[in-house]
Amino acid sequence: QVMKRTPLLASWAPLLLGAFAGGAAAAGSVTQTVGGLSITVTDLGLLPNGGTSAQAYAINNSGRIVGMATDAGFALHRVHWDAASGTIIGELPNLDPASTAVPEAINDNHEVAGTERIRSGLYYGVYWDTSGTVHALRPILGGLTTLVMAHGISNNGWIAGRSQEGAPNYHGHAVIWRSPDGDPMDLGFLGTGNYSEAYDVNDLGQVVGVANNGGASLGFLWREGQGYTNLGSLTGPTTGASIAHAVNNTGMIVGTSNGGYLPVM
């Protein structure tokens, strides 16, 4: 299943795209046959009473979706959708009511990880437990509490992200939290690099992300006891640039290469 944002009547509305062998479609759905598959596109809609926009970011294997939506006053809300019905079923709280917390990943236990931006350049990595309570994630030893990000979460509750060290270097470190209330495990750097960031972790503890090394910014795979594996990049005009975004439980990794994007630190 794939999440996609598309314009609808001058507003942004999230869509659910699913390939189904059969079964009833949710309200606001359109089904068509493409390449022998029955594809159902479901409009997840906006917040009631004048919602202005919405975006869906992640979906788990049971069809729980997380994303963002704005109300009539353009205030941001973190919401759950149910893929089967295409309806909003709940809302996630903030640490700070004025923040722009983004739920970036949800596992099959309905635990959510993401990043809460306090203001420009300052942010918390956050975790929402199964009751919806939000927790701030700890930085690495000596790291800055307001320079932490969380991007992915496995079904066993491991969280992947980044924590930035303090003065004088302020380097970003890829980390995993094996407990949302514990200290993160610092994954260090790739080769001679001084920046790394983890985007996802699977149920086997395999971690993927991006790290610099000798001037190149490269996707990586990290495994405990084996450390970093440089995933390389495609050849082309920007050879030496890649990012690994996600990894599944069979070890397949997806990302981008030579797209002109490099992390700015």
Side-chain angles (χ1 to χ4, degrees), residues 149-152 159-163 173-177 196-200:
M149 304 183 82
H151 302 302
I159 301 167
R162 188 187 86 191
S163 177
H173 296 237
V175 296
I176 53 172
W177 291 267
S196 59
E197 186 160 359
Y199 286 127
D200 196 23

Side-chain angles (χ1 to χ4, degrees), residues 157-185:
W158 290 18
I159 301 167
R162 188 187 86 191
S163 177
Q164 198 157 320
E165 64 184 69
N169 295 316
Y170 300 101
H171 295 320
H173 296 237
V175 296
I176 53 172
W177 291 267
R178 289 176 171 168
S179 167
D181 298 320
D183 293 324
M185 180 178 183

